[in-house]
Amino acid sequence: MAPGAMSRWTKSLSEARPVSYWLDDPGRPDPEPALTGAETCDLLVVGGGYSGLWTALIAKERDPARDVVLVEGREAGWAASGRNGGFCAASLTHGLPNGLTRWPDEIHTLQRLGARNLDAIEETVARHSIDCDFERSGEIDVATEPYQAWELKDWYEGIRAKGLADDVEYLDADAVREQVNSPTFRAGLYDRRGVAMLNPARLAWGLKRACLGLGVRVYEHTPALTLKPYGGGMAVRTPYGRIRARAVALGTNVFPSLVRRVRSYTVPVYDYALMTEPLTADRLASVGWKNRQGLGDSANQFHYFRLSADNRILWGGYDAVYPYGGRVRAEYDDRPETYARLAGHFFTCFPQLEGVRFTHAWGGAIDTCSRFSAFFGTAYTGRVAYAAGYTGLGVGATRFGAEVMLDLLAGERTERTELEMVRRKPLPFPPEPFAWTGIALTKWSLARADARGGRRNLWLRTMDRLGLGFDS
């Protein structure tokens, strides 16, 4: 990349605010008051992101008489739920390739449950009048290198033979550019029904409003500090109070679990995104994109991009930054060197948009586990349930995880709890310095594979055999 081009492109960032576009919303609701004093309830939900909000909402829908309390350390939707790209996928397994590799005998069931879960999200958005710009527009996985185009074609033929290609269409270079016009696109797989676009922060706020409407007591700015058995239930201490509950569901995801033995199963990986100013009609016409699909490229270090309701382009991904020690800190949410890299990649993909400026640039932590998709479990003789490890694809899958947690707390054997995906856990991450060294070596190897026609070195092949893949 020429220095002059980089200097020109970084000027597009001169007015970008270091805050999530979704959270920078004048319609952002006021937080609920913090808990002061003592509370009792049937079910305590810890965490006010998607995982906790879905759990509280579904718990009340299953049993309106159940007394449910939700506590959130800051404000509902402020972390990953308000910082992601707004891709709400049917996949429960971080994409079909990952699911087919790990659970081939269950993949048809997992695909069916995932489709049903996405339908249920769409129905909930409509039933509770959640204004989150929900669009069932699908997604295109695009190839930007010749080897990626060949791999997409082979993959498509393989899933067709397995009966897994319903509503999926292979697009050659001309066909994919008819959908979205980029000189870098060489092929694509168009999933027409399996992904929706939405405003992620407004989804979280709408779920909070729905919970309150059903009688859930929500306390924000109320971090849960300790979790201990108390009589036949559990007790949670907060800064200004205490809650006694018959059962507890943990939806804390990237933050350290109150069940200490769960902590080694996830690490925080920081992801970053840019948002452009609204495109003029002429600029939007130069790109096409009439069907408003989400897009992602096929590299190991990939980008994801989409249109917002007001025709901005969100452009994110590529860098995946693991901080040594695995700590979650606000200072990691802002990374100018990544913003500059992303801006250069954006204008390479869409040279016809040169001159467009970015209004927002932000980052956030993803709860990453070694198998990429969520894991589940119980503690304290079944009185506590947890779900975590969604690895960046939790906008939709967290609703399924909420159902699993509620099934586990009820002690019910369901189609969900019988899944191998639910019954087994991923491999934990090793302690430092081994975790940082392994992740750094894997990232270097993935970048090298992208530069060498997709050829995976010995390290990546070994990770593949162990089921310990890692991508951005």
Side-chain angles (χ1 to χ4, degrees):
M1 187 179 297
M6 177 55 76
S7 174
R8 186 169 73 250
W9 291 335
T10 54
K11 289 180 181 178
S12 64
L13 294 162
S14 63
E15 298 175 10
R17 300 186 62 199
V19 62
S20 165
Y21 167 76
W22 311 115
L23 295 174
D24 189 22
D25 186 332
R28 183 173 182 164
D30 292 332
E32 296 298 303
L35 172 68
T36 56
E39 267 279 21
T40 60
C41 59
D42 297 324
L43 173 66
L44 171 64
V45 179
V46 179
Y50 297 138
S51 189
L53 291 165
W54 279 119
T55 303
L57 181 64
I58 295 170
K60 289 296 283 187
E61 290 176 338
R62 287 187 181 187
D63 180 3
R66 183 167 5 197
D67 188 22
V68 180
V69 169
L70 183 148
V71 295
E72 160 56 41
R74 289 186 57 175
E75 295 182 20
W78 77 276
S81 298
R83 299 166 189 255
N84 62 80
F87 287 65
C88 185
S91 176
L92 306 175
T93 61
H94 205 273
L96 180 56
N98 190 53
L100 191 56
T101 297
R102 298 181 188 280
W103 302 288
D105 296 336
E106 293 183 345
I107 195 62
H108 286 276
T109 299
L110 289 164
Q111 291 290 98
R112 174 174 53 79
L113 292 174
R116 191 169 76 189
N117 185 65
L118 182 55
D119 289 342
I121 292 172
E122 184 171 17
E123 189 273 333
T124 300
V125 166
R127 177 160 43 87
H128 290 284
S129 300
I130 297 175
D131 179 17
C132 65
D133 304 322
F134 189 98
E135 298 180 275
R136 196 78 174 258
S137 52
E139 181 179 17
I140 304 176
D141 187 14
V142 297
T144 58
E145 298 289 343
Y147 79 89
Q148 295 171 10
W150 301 330
E151 288 177 350
L152 280 186
K153 181 67 171 176
D154 287 346
W155 170 252
Y156 175 67
E157 296 298 339
I159 61 174
R160 277 187 64 192
K162 291 180 171 67
L164 294 167
D166 291 349
D167 297 319
V168 177
E169 178 184 357
Y170 176 79
L171 306 175
D172 63 17
D174 291 338
V176 72
R177 290 175 189 170
E178 284 180 7
Q179 296 291 330
V180 184
N181 181 21
S182 168
T184 67
F185 292 175
R186 297 174 178 269
L189 281 188
Y190 185 4
D191 181 350
R192 293 184 177 274
R193 292 285 300 166
V195 183
M197 299 293 108
L198 52 76
N199 180 314
R202 288 187 181 178
L203 174 63
W205 299 334
L207 291 173
K208 182 179 92 167
R209 178 173 55 81
C211 286
L212 291 167
L214 292 181
V216 177
R217 298 195 299 288
V218 176
Y219 297 100
E220 294 178 87
H221 295 288
T222 303
L225 303 177
T226 62
L227 173 69
K228 294 181 179 179
Y230 187 94
M234 301 297 298
V236 168
R237 182 172 60 86
T238 71
Y240 308 124
R242 183 187 63 188
I243 307 166
R244 295 205 301 263
R246 294 181 181 177
V248 177
L250 299 178
T252 49
N253 294 301
V254 77
F255 299 99
S257 177
L258 292 173
V259 178
R260 185 173 292 274
R261 60 182 165 81
V262 175
R263 295 180 183 180
S264 63
Y265 288 106
T266 62
V267 295
V269 173
Y270 278 78
D271 180 51
Y272 298 89
L274 307 176
M275 184 69 95
T276 72
E277 63 189 338
L279 300 187
T280 64
D282 287 344
R283 280 173 165 164
L284 185 59
S286 74
V287 177
W289 218 337
K290 296 181 289 294
N291 294 316
R292 303 182 58 82
Q293 312 93 331
L295 290 100
D297 64 53
S298 302
N300 291 305
Q301 292 184 284
F302 64 91
H303 305 89
Y304 54 88
F305 38 119
R306 56 156 297 186
L307 288 171
S308 67
D310 58 350
N311 291 329
R312 301 167 183 262
I313 295 178
L314 180 146
W315 179 267
Y318 193 79
D319 277 352
V321 180
Y322 170 70
Y324 186 89
R327 296 178 179 88
V328 179
R329 291 180 174 171
E331 66 197 74
Y332 301 144
D333 292 343
D334 188 36
R335 198 165 193 265
E337 60 267 43
T338 290
Y339 303 151
R341 187 174 297 117
L342 285 173
H345 296 170
F346 175 85
F347 291 112
T348 299
C349 182
F350 295 120
Q352 66 270 46
L353 296 181
E354 186 158 343
V356 166
R357 304 185 78 81
F358 296 102
T359 61
H360 296 76
W362 71 94
I366 293 170
D367 61 320
T368 301
C369 77
S370 62
R371 72 182 192 191
F372 300 115
S373 49
F375 62 91
F376 313 90
T378 61
Y380 296 101
T381 62
R383 288 172 286 179
V384 175
Y386 55 84
Y390 292 94
T391 318
L393 213 65
V395 178
T398 44
R399 185 193 175 281
F400 174 81
E403 298 244 45
V404 171
M405 283 196 285
L406 291 170
D407 289 349
L408 293 172
L409 288 174
E412 296 176 354
R413 293 184 61 180
T414 67
E415 186 176 31
R416 289 179 289 265
T417 62
E418 291 298 294
L419 291 167
E420 182 184 354
M421 174 189 174
V422 171
R423 291 185 290 106
R424 297 184 182 275
K425 297 218 177 20
L427 290 173
F429 288 93
E432 298 292 14
F434 304 107
W436 188 90
T437 302
I439 291 171
L441 180 55
T442 302
K443 283 191 61 184
W444 176 83
S445 299
L446 289 168
R448 193 175 184 201
D450 283 339
R452 300 178 66 199
R455 293 190 297 276
R456 299 173 77 81
N457 62 15
L458 177 61
W459 176 261
L460 291 180
R461 294 196 302 272
T462 301
M463 293 296 99
D464 291 340
R465 285 194 296 272
L466 294 175
L468 286 169
F470 187 88
D471 62 30
S472 63

